[in-house]
Amino acid sequence: MAEVVTMPRLSDTMTEGKVAKWHKKLGDSVKEGDILAEIETDKAVQDFETEWSGTILYIGVNEGDAAPVDSILTIIGKEGEDISTLLGGNTNVATTTVPENIPSITQTAEKSIEIPSGVEVINMPRLSDTMTEGKVAKWNKNVGDTVKEGDIIAEIETDKAVQDFESEFTGVLLYQGVKETDAAPVDSILAIIGPAGTDIAAIVSGGGKISEAIKSEKPLENKISVPTNTPTISTTSIERLAISPLAKKMAQDKGIDVSSLKGSGENGRIVKKDVETYTPSDKAVSETKTVISPVVMNVTTGETTETINSQMRNVIAKRLAESKFSAPHYYLMVEISMDKAIEARKVINNLPDTKISFNDMVIKAVAMALRKHPQVNSSWAGDKIIHHGDINVGVAVTVPDGLVVPVLKNTDYMNYNQISASVKDLASRAKNKQLKANEMEGSTFSVSNLGMFGIETFTSIINQPNSAILSVGAIVEKPVVKEGQIVVGNTMKLSLACDHRVIDGATGAAFLQSLRLYLEQPLSLLL
């Protein structure tokens, strides 16, 4: 008898899950223990294993889409088994109640739009868990242009970033569903690709979504209409990699980008020992810091101009305003000696294949201080405070359209080399609009550094749902008093913005004391 597999609850705060990647497709055979999919929660991306053996008869959530906990994820059973009653909501399987609002295949077929042979309908993808609509920042292909698989057809602006959007299909661009600079809801028609001259009037006039369409040349298998997966964003880290679940978990814990690993297993599969023996390449650690220049505006003297806000800019403005006006901010500032940190960095950078920046040292010290002061690694949730078990430090990065905060997952388990390589990689891909949505989610604390621009001190607005953000200034050589003598020293100012609903003044001060100790006495990080 067929088994209904529902969207699992993988964390206590999870209300919906997003299918980051399907490892099995319709009609595939699965065995107990096989990884069906990668599920993205509000905290992490986790492999999801099947408890049953059989054939995939139905996929309820497209890759890249989200669905509520306990909704149908997939159905596993015997090949050819009739599961229309399960989709009609009349049967409970594996003690799971199938929602009654899922239409039967008969109902779906009655309102389906027939798609001509060879035509592919591409919907506006959901590129982040908070995305409800996308804006076409730029079309790279025009109607009538030939498109090949892998071509970037458009740049899609979400609420978090502008991302290149690749085609998974080859053909001619027959239709653009969204004009350049216009926005459209997720799952609405973005484009249609197919043979030149194909009549697509019925699809366009129907305003349908790809999930409502049935291929005319393909009969229904097992009485189920399965949606076509939407294309993925352009980034090499999204490509399917052969990697064992253990190796993947170890890489995540160590902060290693799996795309940089070389597999020694069967058919190039990445295994445990590949992660254990991994060392960052010379290219990954060649620079001491990553600086992204601010946007330069071209202004003509005497001429007043306007710039239409990008979707990213509008979202940044909205969220910062919500944070500033909803969270009672207060600020703690401290000036610390960096003399020993400078000496320690010189020693560390003399080691083979090692090049770290002061920002890397700050991030490492922050992670260790958060481990010692878990209250700072918490979030306000209305009637409760959420204490995060993972320490995920977000690093503010300037991009042409505003600001993004890529996240270093499990930062407290990363060494200097891993932090350095990860920050450079994330900052570089942020500038090139190649970050994945899940790489900008899940932070529990944030760091903003303007020291490279010569800014000595500043305060930041908290990046919610974090409860604190650290502002890092420039290292300044100045006269200081040591043991009653005026000498030349190197100092750096830190400013901690705290949400008073979560972090009391004494708690924030204690956190800064620990952070100061770790930076002024770098060897204390080893204790």
Side-chain angles (χ1 to χ4, degrees):
M1 186 175 182
E3 302 285 355
V4 174
V5 181
T6 59
M7 178 65 72
R9 187 183 301 276
L10 299 176
S11 75
D12 54 350
T13 58
M14 177 179 171
T15 58
E16 68 174 14
K18 177 181 176 183
V19 177
K21 179 190 292 185
W22 276 105
H23 287 264
K24 301 291 183 180
K25 60 181 183 295
L26 185 73
D28 281 357
S29 295
V30 297
K31 296 180 294 183
E32 181 180 354
D34 282 355
I35 296 174
L36 289 178
E38 296 176 20
I39 306 296
E40 183 178 330
T41 74
D42 56 340
K43 294 184 177 180
V45 178
Q46 301 184 32
D47 290 337
F48 182 67
E49 297 181 355
T50 176
E51 296 180 9
W52 299 283
S53 298
T55 299
I56 300 289
L57 302 177
Y58 177 74
I59 292 179
V61 185
N62 284 340
E63 189 170 290
D65 285 354
V69 169
D70 293 333
S71 59
I72 294 182
L73 179 63
T74 184
I75 298 178
I76 298 174
K78 295 180 180 179
E79 187 174 357
E81 186 174 352
D82 184 358
I83 58 170
S84 58
T85 54
L86 300 183
L87 295 177
N90 299 322
T91 304
N92 293 335
V93 180
T95 68
T96 302
T97 302
V98 181
E100 295 183 358
N101 59 355
I102 297 181
S104 67
I105 190 64
T106 303
Q107 294 171 327
T108 303
E110 288 175 355
K111 65 174 183 179
S112 295
I113 302 170
E114 188 174 278
I115 297 181
S117 177
V119 171
E120 301 288 350
V121 179
I122 302 173
N123 286 343
M124 178 65 72
R126 187 185 301 276
L127 299 176
S128 78
D129 58 345
T130 58
M131 177 180 173
T132 58
E133 67 175 13
K135 178 180 177 181
V136 177
K138 180 181 179 182
W139 278 105
N140 293 332
K141 297 289 185 180
N142 297 317
V143 173
D145 286 353
T146 299
V147 178
K148 295 183 293 183
E149 181 180 353
D151 282 354
I152 297 173
I153 61 173
E155 296 176 15
I156 305 297
E157 184 176 330
T158 74
D159 56 340
K160 295 184 176 180
V162 178
Q163 303 186 24
D164 291 336
F165 187 73
E166 288 185 0
S167 171
E168 285 188 346
F169 313 106
T170 297
V172 173
L173 184 59
L174 303 174
Y175 176 72
Q176 292 176 343
V178 186
K179 293 181 180 179
E180 195 167 286
T181 73
D182 282 357
V186 168
D187 291 335
S188 58
I189 294 180
L190 174 66
I192 299 176
I193 294 175
T198 304
D199 183 5
I200 56 171
I203 303 175
V204 174
S205 62
K209 301 175 183 178
I210 197 165
S211 58
E212 297 172 343
I214 299 178
K215 300 285 185 180
S216 60
E217 77 277 12
K218 294 182 181 179
L220 292 175
E221 298 180 10
N222 299 323
K223 301 184 180 180
I224 297 170
S225 175
V226 180
T228 303
N229 290 337
T230 57
T232 58
I233 61 175
S234 173
T235 167
T236 55
S237 59
I238 292 181
E239 296 173 1
R240 179 163 297 184
L241 292 173
I243 182 171
S244 72
L246 177 58
K248 182 177 180 181
K249 179 65 166 59
M250 291 176 62
Q252 289 176 340
D253 291 344
K254 292 175 177 287
I256 298 174
D257 181 1
V258 295
S259 64
S260 64
L261 293 169
K262 293 184 178 179
S264 61
E266 184 178 359
N267 296 323
R269 183 179 174 86
I270 299 170
V271 294
K272 175 182 177 182
K273 73 174 183 178
D274 299 321
V275 180
E276 293 175 333
T277 58
Y278 170 78
T279 55
S281 64
D282 292 339
K283 181 179 179 180
V285 296
S286 60
E287 301 177 4
T288 58
K289 64 182 180 180
T290 299
V291 178
I292 297 179
S293 300
V295 178
V296 178
M297 298 293 297
N298 294 319
V299 179
T300 303
T301 302
E303 181 180 341
T304 300
T305 60
E306 296 180 350
T307 300
I308 302 299
N309 287 341
S310 65
Q311 187 169 352
M312 178 186 289
R313 176 61 63 185
N314 284 331
V315 172
I316 289 173
K318 178 182 177 182
R319 290 185 175 173
L320 290 180
E322 289 174 349
S323 177
K324 185 66 175 178
F325 299 132
S326 65
H329 286 53
Y330 72 91
Y331 302 93
L332 300 172
M333 301 180 187
V334 65
E335 186 173 18
I336 67 175
S337 171
M338 291 294 287
D339 290 333
K340 291 187 177 180
I342 292 172
E343 294 175 5
R345 178 173 175 263
K346 288 180 180 178
V347 173
I348 293 171
N349 283 347
N350 283 331
L351 298 174
D353 299 324
T354 302
K355 236 24 164 179
I356 68 168
S357 68
F358 291 112
N359 194 54
D360 301 329
M361 300 180 74
V362 170
I363 292 171
K364 177 64 175 177
V366 162
M368 301 308 291
L370 288 172
R371 182 187 290 176
K372 192 172 181 179
H373 302 277
Q375 186 70 16
V376 181
N377 196 53
S378 303
S379 298
W380 179 260
D383 59 347
K384 60 187 176 183
I385 294 175
I386 299 172
H387 305 287
H388 302 292
D390 296 328
I391 294 174
N392 302 327
V393 177
V395 182
V397 175
T398 300
V399 294
D401 286 325
L403 187 75
V404 295
V405 187
V407 181
L408 303 179
K409 303 293 176 67
N410 299 303
T411 319
D412 50 328
Y413 290 104
M414 301 173 72
N415 59 36
Y416 281 135
N417 270 342
Q418 292 164 348
I419 291 174
S420 178
S422 296
V423 169
K424 291 182 178 69
D425 171 60
L426 290 168
S428 174
R429 289 194 289 115
K431 184 179 180 181
N432 295 320
K433 301 176 292 185
Q434 292 181 338
L435 286 179
K436 292 191 293 183
N438 66 301
E439 291 175 317
M440 295 181 283
E441 298 169 352
S443 67
T444 59
F445 186 93
S446 299
V447 173
S448 180
N449 190 340
L450 293 179
M452 67 282 292
F453 297 111
I455 302 300
E456 294 185 26
T457 183
F458 67 103
T459 58
S460 302
I461 298 176
I462 296 170
N463 176 36
Q464 291 191 345
N466 301 171
S467 293
I469 183 170
L470 183 74
S471 304
V472 182
I475 298 175
V476 178
E477 190 176 45
K478 60 186 287 189
V480 297
V481 178
K482 289 186 178 180
E483 299 178 355
Q485 300 293 320
I486 298 178
V487 298
V488 176
N490 295 276
T491 66
M492 181 174 70
K493 293 180 180 178
L494 303 175
S495 173
L496 182 69
C498 301
D499 183 343
H500 215 319
R501 297 172 300 179
V502 180
I503 305 170
D504 295 328
T507 303
F511 170 82
L512 277 181
Q513 283 182 339
S514 296
L515 184 57
R516 181 178 199 161
L517 172 66
Y518 291 143
L519 290 172
E520 291 189 341
Q521 304 290 338
L523 291 179
S524 61
L525 287 170
L526 304 177
L527 302 178

